[in-house]
Amino acid sequence: MAGSEEEPRYSRQLYVLGGGARRLPGSAVLVSGLRGTGVQVATALVLAGTGRVVLHDCGAACSADRAHQFLLGESDLGQNRAKASQQALAELNPRVVVEAHTGELSEAFLASFQVVVLTESPLEEQLRVGDFCHAQGICFIVADTKGLAGQLFCDFGERFVVDDPAEGDPVSAAVKHISQGSPGVVTYMGTENSHGHLFHDGDLVTFSGVQGMTELNNQEPIPVHVLDAFRLEISDTSSFSPYRCGGLISQVQQPQECSHKPLCQALEEPKIQVASPEDLPRSCSLHAAFQALHAFRREQGRLPRPRAPADAERVLELARSLGAQQGPLDEDIVRAFASVSAGDLCPVAAVVGALAAQEVLKAITGKFLPLDQWLYFDALECLALAETTQLTEMDCAPRGSRYDGQIAVFGANFQEKLGHQKYLVVGAGAIGCELLKNFAMMGLAAGPDGELIITDMDTVALSNLHRQLLYRSADISEPKSVVAAAAVQRMNPDVRVTAHQNQVGPATEILYKDNFFRHLDGVASALDTIEWAREEFEGLFQLPAEQVNKLMEDPAFLEQQPPGKVLEQVWDSLRERPQDWRDCVRWARRRWQSCYHDAITQLLHIYPPEHETSPGVPFWAGDRSCPHPLTFNPDNDTHLDYVLAAAHLFAQVHRVPPCRDRGAIKAVLRDVVLPPFAPQEGLQIPLTEEPTEEAQVPKDHRQLTELTQDLVQWRQELVGDEDTHAPLMEPIHFEKDNDVHIDFITAASNLRAENYGISPANWLTSKRIAGRIVPAIITTTAAVAGLACLEVYKLVWGCQDLSCYRNSNISLSACLLLRVQPPPAPTYRYGGREWSCWDRLEMRAVGTDGQAMTVQEVLDWLQRTYGWTVTMLLCGDIVLYDSKADAETRARQQAQRLSKSLEDARMPQQQDLELLYMCEGEDAEAEDTRPPLLCSLP
């Protein structure tokens, strides 16, 4: 996949789905039902690169669809939903074939798909299509949302093989010892912060890099039996050579087979997946409630009217008829479900649609275990809000509005509240795009005084397009916030949205100060951190070039640098300046020899393989593996990859045209003759990467003088007396999406791994580690944003009851969703009172004369209000009052007005100040428990 056309677009997704992702372009999926849930499924599949996605819907788009179907515009009303969605979905990913189908779901038509997804379809259709798919070996998924609840069902057939069932990389550990015996016992070292078993009984493992007992290396996978947290039994090792040192033990993941019942049987004998046993009764009640809802619709030809008690009771009666088969029925759950089942909420569709899309990806890729077989999700806790319990049928009746689906759940007055909201979204990446999509559908900030501010410093990149649905190929290199704001307005022209291109932090405190945040109702943070460069890369291709350019720009550079490494780096860089790309190849070859042969040979000269730290205690043992030097071979791909990438980068740094012809580079390498390496005596080599304070050994004065003279002469030759000039060298900053950079990192790290007998990492793994790239996929971001927006509903209501809120943990690989009540905010004691981390001391710092308070008035307020005697008062670094100062200084401080103190300190005028205070009797931990003091000046 390295360097391929697809890799830059899908790299983050490949880290999630692994090799099975290669099956996506050849797959075909049917998504039936193009309302909120269906469009979420289809969007995720198109962005993920599914080869062919067919949309099916027989209905026409109506105004109410626009509260959850984010692809529809005003002009699409009255058009078939599938046809209206086709073009917008096709624009998301030109590599995917998107088709629309408006006819019946005949068996001949269904037979061409690997996966069939039905959303919000009648039970009769689900049963008919489900029976056919099960018989034909077609993976079948049902996804449905009604109001505040959702249902998901999977049938992948009687024998579905999961190639790679586990999430994350296989477990591996460094070997500490292996006994000779039957069975042999392996002792290994735990990873950092590991508190339990890395391996489990029955796991299959392989060994690599073992010294001494080399018979274990490259064997077929061996089953293990766990003895304790750091010991395993393996097969008979009694005839093997004695273990000496080193080695890595790695888990081998095995395929797993799953068996599913068809829908007709699974309805009667449901296997419901829950995060904890306590959740099962609730899910069983929802299982009955969804079936009862199907029966009500058959009977009445419609869904229950919102908040209509008679309709809710009829659904309950129908559910009771299923009770004997399904177990105890929670009637309150069924009533609550039925009372808002006519509602359509974009956040609920986002969660259930994302879960369903992930199951489709499992069916295609063979990555992760599929759902077994039912999953129920609900946010019915929203109906426990004090403001919602009094809603009537009239409050929630349809109004011909795009928000009717939301009004059915929360009422018309709440919709007005949503329109008045003022929100800041920090970050318009993957989660930010999903939040903004949901906000637009919800009508957040769509009222006359609403405001939605988006800020992001970043620009759109190719790798964003597989999961950031607001962007298209034409938007690459454009500011994310600007493009996202325009996309929000297309989805909902009423949303009042503004784009900023600022970071929110200390550098922008002038823009985003207290008054700015007081103006807001909420802030949604959706940020990543992923910038990093390898030290080796920087040391070769960035830092030396920057130092050389400084020398060329400033004659005083040499005088400013202390004798040491910087001047040597500059001297080396100028001495090694290449004339052409052949010189770059020769440099890369010398660098290879220095790193992977000479340095290791020198290390073994000082610490030979048989070296002991004390008698009988080997030096090379445990996590200290004995290395071996490498011999350069131009026919070894990794060796040549290193030279190719290093030479290319070295040429770029020195502004020399590079050559990528492997044959030509091999020809140059054949002519490179290096002198034999002679180890140095008395050289100290650090054996840890921990930073140490090394004593700087002063260089010989004559050497320093000669080095400096050389630099002065080279500068004169290169620059002359010109005051301005182009930079001599081009510093290269590590970029995770540059293939040559990753080629170098991959080859360099794998050569070092070869030195130490460690298994190599592939190109994608190297890219992920070197670039600190977080594996990401659209399904996860969509589900997380949907869950967050359900909490936004509660915040807009102004709910103060913590029991109504939820912390959510979701695992799409295992299809598990755990939602629990959040714990109360931490509390602490200060000044004889209990405070929470959210508490603030707020005072209007205006004196009786209408001007800013004096410092003494602030001290009096704290004494009067809280009984605290302040010993120190500060504003930032400015001391406003110090009880230990002399009497004259204290008097001057006490009389000073707050505004004058800032003026004297030349601080910018601020209306809101945060003051730091210290009081009598404080202990050493008081700083962490003291509530902030916020003062508002006139």
Side-chain angles (χ1 to χ4, degrees):
M1 211 54 163
S4 74
E5 182 184 355
E6 300 297 304
E7 194 280 327
R9 186 183 188 104
Y10 299 111
S11 60
R12 278 64 170 171
Q13 176 176 285
L14 287 170
Y15 297 126
V16 179
L17 298 178
R22 296 185 180 89
R23 301 173 187 167
L24 283 169
S27 61
V29 180
L30 171 68
V31 179
S32 177
L34 263 294
R35 301 182 79 244
T37 306
V39 75
Q40 187 69 61
V41 176
T43 298
L45 297 180
V46 170
L47 288 172
T50 307
R52 177 171 169 251
V53 177
V54 178
L55 316 174
H56 170 257
D57 201 306
C58 298
C62 63
S63 180
D65 288 338
R66 298 192 64 205
H68 47 84
Q69 219 284 22
F70 47 86
L71 298 181
L72 297 177
E74 189 72 29
S75 62
D76 295 317
L77 299 182
Q79 305 298 313
N80 176 271
R81 289 192 197 97
K83 288 186 174 179
S85 305
Q86 180 184 2
Q87 182 178 350
L89 277 170
E91 289 173 355
L92 286 174
N93 193 340
R95 294 169 174 81
V96 175
V97 176
V98 181
E99 301 170 359
H101 177 72
T102 60
E104 65 171 336
L105 296 180
S106 66
E107 293 185 354
F109 174 71
L110 293 169
S112 63
F113 298 100
Q114 283 176 264
V115 188
V116 169
V117 184
L118 301 186
T119 70
E120 304 179 43
S121 62
L123 182 59
E124 294 76 17
E125 183 176 66
Q126 294 175 15
L127 291 167
R128 177 179 65 82
V129 174
D131 284 347
F132 174 79
C133 289
H134 188 86
Q136 298 298 314
I138 300 169
C139 293
F140 176 64
I141 296 171
V142 173
D144 197 1
T145 57
K146 293 290 182 288
L148 285 163
Q151 174 191 61
L152 186 62
F153 170 77
C154 288
D155 170 16
F156 286 11
E158 294 178 7
R159 300 189 66 182
F160 180 80
V161 176
V162 183
D163 298 319
D164 189 358
E167 185 173 12
D169 297 327
V171 169
S172 63
V175 175
K176 193 172 183 179
H177 185 263
I178 307 174
S179 70
Q180 287 176 298
S182 179
V185 176
V186 179
T187 305
Y188 64 89
M189 285 168 289
T191 58
E192 185 180 359
N193 298 324
S194 65
H195 301 291
H197 297 276
L198 294 179
F199 300 93
H200 298 88
D201 276 344
D203 279 354
L204 296 177
V205 301
T206 57
F207 290 85
S208 61
V210 174
Q211 298 185 39
M213 196 176 285
T214 56
E215 295 90 341
L216 282 174
N217 294 332
N218 304 316
Q219 269 199 3
E220 290 297 311
I222 304 168
V224 301
H225 170 63
V226 175
L227 296 177
D228 55 40
F230 303 108
R231 292 188 307 147
L232 305 170
E233 285 184 349
I234 58 172
S235 54
D236 186 352
T237 60
S238 55
S239 63
F240 291 175
S241 308
Y243 173 80
R244 187 154 53 85
C245 63
L248 196 70
I249 179 173
S250 301
Q251 178 191 50
V252 178
Q253 294 180 348
Q254 294 294 299
Q256 189 169 332
E257 188 174 280
C258 301
S259 180
H260 285 168
K261 298 176 184 176
L263 178 61
C264 57
Q265 293 182 35
L267 275 171
E268 303 300 322
E269 303 168 4
K271 293 176 68 176
I272 301 177
Q273 196 151 311
V274 291
S276 65
E278 294 79 14
D279 295 335
L280 186 58
R282 186 183 189 94
S283 291
C284 287
S285 294
L286 287 170
H287 184 72
F290 268 92
Q291 291 183 69
L293 192 67
H294 283 295
F296 181 95
R297 197 167 194 170
R298 283 194 304 271
E299 178 183 280
Q300 303 287 335
R302 60 174 174 82
L303 289 172
R305 288 185 294 270
R307 305 280 175 164
D311 284 359
E313 288 301 320
R314 179 56 185 152
V315 173
L316 179 58
E317 289 175 14
L318 293 167
R320 286 186 185 127
S321 67
L322 303 169
Q325 302 169 28
Q326 307 300 336
L329 191 66
D330 188 326
E331 297 190 353
D332 290 338
I333 290 292
V334 178
R335 283 194 191 94
F337 165 77
S339 70
V340 295
S341 58
D344 289 305
L345 299 179
C346 184
V348 176
V351 174
V352 176
L355 290 166
Q358 186 66 51
E359 296 305 306
V360 175
L361 296 178
K362 292 178 185 179
I364 297 170
T365 64
K367 175 66 175 175
F368 305 136
L369 291 170
L371 170 65
D372 187 22
Q373 288 189 266
W374 293 97
L375 179 79
Y376 286 91
F377 162 76
D378 78 88
L380 292 170
E381 74 278 356
C382 291
L383 301 184
L385 303 178
E387 294 80 357
T388 66
T389 57
Q390 305 303 316
L391 290 173
T392 66
E393 189 173 348
M394 184 177 295
D395 295 326
C396 301
R399 279 143 171 85
S401 158
R402 69 179 289 165
Y403 305 115
D404 275 353
Q406 197 160 259
I407 290 172
V409 179
F410 296 118
N413 290 340
F414 177 74
Q415 193 60 51
E416 288 189 21
K417 280 190 177 184
L418 279 168
H420 295 321
Q421 295 299 296
K422 297 174 176 63
Y423 260 70
L424 169 67
V425 177
V426 184
I431 294 178
C433 283
E434 291 292 329
L435 285 173
L436 291 168
K437 173 259 290 181
N438 290 344
F439 286 172
M441 297 294 98
M442 293 160 61
L444 190 87
D449 57 348
E451 186 174 17
L452 181 61
I453 301 169
I454 308 167
T455 187
D456 196 309
M457 297 175 64
D458 205 359
T459 56
V460 180
L462 178 60
S463 61
N464 300 150
L465 300 185
H466 86 278
R467 69 194 190 285
Q468 299 182 18
L469 66 89
L470 301 185
Y471 309 129
R472 307 292 183 268
S473 298
D475 299 321
I476 290 175
S477 299
E478 295 297 319
K480 280 188 173 180
S481 60
V482 175
V483 178
V488 167
Q489 288 243 279
R490 286 194 300 272
M491 288 180 174
N492 189 341
D494 294 332
V495 175
R496 297 172 177 267
V497 59
T498 305
H500 292 187
Q501 296 176 49
N502 305 314
Q503 183 183 27
V504 177
T508 56
E509 280 185 351
I510 295 297
L511 291 172
Y512 304 118
K513 49 189 179 182
D514 289 349
N515 269 355
F516 173 84
F517 286 103
R518 282 205 183 101
H519 166 74
L520 299 174
D521 294 296
V523 177
S525 177
L527 296 175
D528 284 337
T529 55
I530 53 175
E531 291 298 328
W532 185 60
R534 289 291 297 267
E535 183 179 344
E536 171 79 355
F537 189 99
E538 288 181 347
L540 291 176
F541 308 120
Q542 178 187 335
L543 300 179
E546 291 175 343
Q547 301 294 352
V548 167
N549 288 346
K550 288 179 182 178
L551 170 64
M552 297 299 127
E553 294 164 1
D554 183 6
F557 173 82
L558 294 175
E559 302 168 8
Q560 299 164 356
Q561 299 299 317
K565 190 173 182 180
V566 171
L567 292 182
E568 292 180 53
Q569 279 185 338
V570 173
W571 189 85
D572 285 339
S573 295
L574 291 173
R575 177 178 58 86
E576 294 174 331
R577 288 187 68 220
Q579 300 302 310
D580 55 29
W581 70 269
R582 295 174 183 81
D583 284 348
C584 299
V585 174
R586 297 182 187 105
W587 173 87
R589 173 65 182 88
R590 293 194 300 272
R591 182 71 192 176
W592 189 101
Q593 192 72 11
S594 172
C595 289
Y596 305 110
H597 179 274
D598 297 355
I600 301 300
T601 304
Q602 178 69 49
L603 179 62
L604 292 175
H605 177 73
I606 299 171
Y607 304 106
E610 63 278 4
H611 185 74
E612 295 181 343
T613 54
S614 59
V617 180
F619 177 82
W620 297 108
D623 59 349
R624 190 180 287 155
S625 299
C626 186
H628 66 278
L630 306 183
T631 300
F632 185 78
N633 177 5
D635 294 323
N636 182 304
D637 284 342
T638 306
H639 296 197
L640 190 61
D641 286 346
Y642 176 93
V643 172
L644 185 65
H648 183 104
L649 293 165
F650 193 70
Q652 183 180 339
V653 166
H654 289 277
R655 304 182 186 277
V656 170
C659 173
R660 300 283 287 172
D661 187 322
R662 295 175 81 90
I665 288 175
K666 279 188 176 183
V668 175
L669 290 172
R670 280 195 291 269
D671 295 333
V672 176
V673 179
L674 300 178
F677 176 72
Q680 299 179 49
E681 300 295 337
L683 186 66
Q684 294 298 313
I685 298 179
L687 293 171
T688 175
E689 296 183 2
E690 294 293 324
T692 57
E693 294 188 12
E694 299 177 4
Q696 292 292 328
V697 180
K699 282 193 171 294
D700 180 86
H701 180 72
R702 184 173 60 82
Q703 285 181 301
L704 289 173
T705 302
E706 291 176 356
L707 184 149
T708 304
Q709 287 174 347
D710 285 346
L711 292 175
V712 170
Q713 180 180 343
W714 280 334
R715 185 182 187 281
Q716 182 66 27
E717 292 173 359
L718 293 166
V719 179
D721 297 324
E722 295 180 15
D723 292 332
T724 60
H725 60 279
L728 181 68
M729 296 174 67
E730 178 186 337
I732 303 176
H733 295 265
F734 176 77
E735 171 50 55
K736 62 186 178 298
D737 288 323
N738 186 302
D739 287 355
V740 176
H741 296 192
I742 302 301
D743 287 346
F744 175 81
I745 295 295
T746 304
S749 59
N750 283 342
L751 288 167
R752 178 62 71 208
E754 188 180 349
N755 279 139
Y756 285 89
I758 298 171
S759 300
N762 62 35
W763 194 90
L764 277 174
T765 301
S766 299
K767 176 173 180 172
R768 174 173 61 83
I769 295 171
R772 284 189 175 169
I773 297 170
V774 179
I777 193 167
I778 178 63
T779 48
T780 307
T781 53
V784 167
L787 291 167
C789 288
L790 288 171
E791 303 308 303
V792 170
Y793 283 136
K794 303 165 190 177
L795 292 170
V796 173
W797 272 115
C799 176
Q800 299 295 313
D801 183 356
L802 196 62
S803 68
C804 291
Y805 289 91
R806 294 292 181 269
N807 282 344
S808 298
N809 294 285
I810 189 167
S811 170
L812 293 185
S813 63
C815 202
L816 287 175
L817 176 59
L818 177 64
R819 302 181 76 229
V820 296
Q821 294 180 18
T827 58
Y828 47 82
R829 294 194 67 80
Y830 178 83
R833 302 191 183 199
E834 187 170 84
W835 307 88
S836 86
C837 61
W838 292 103
D839 286 322
R840 302 289 186 270
L841 309 184
E842 297 190 19
M843 66 177 296
R844 189 166 181 268
V846 181
T848 55
D849 57 0
Q851 298 187 47
M853 277 186 177
T854 64
V855 169
Q856 183 61 52
E857 287 176 313
V858 175
L859 301 179
D860 291 343
W861 182 86
L862 286 167
Q863 177 71 51
R864 184 173 63 251
T865 308
Y866 297 103
W868 298 341
T869 301
V870 174
T871 57
M872 179 78 78
L873 187 68
L874 302 97
C875 181
D877 295 330
I878 303 169
V879 178
L880 301 179
Y881 173 73
D882 183 358
S883 64
K884 294 181 180 179
D886 59 74
E888 182 181 346
T889 301
R890 288 201 312 273
R892 186 178 68 253
Q893 291 173 337
Q894 290 165 325
Q896 188 93 308
R897 293 188 185 275
L898 293 179
S899 54
K900 187 69 167 66
S901 301
L902 300 181
E903 183 182 325
D904 291 348
R906 297 183 178 178
M907 287 183 66
Q909 288 296 319
Q910 302 177 55
Q911 187 176 1
D912 300 299
L913 304 177
E914 181 172 337
L915 303 185
L916 174 66
Y917 56 92
M918 285 164 269
C919 301
E920 282 185 356
E922 281 193 4
D923 56 26
E925 298 179 359
E927 186 173 352
D928 297 327
T929 63
R930 189 190 301 122
L933 172 59
L934 306 180
C935 297
S936 299
L937 298 181

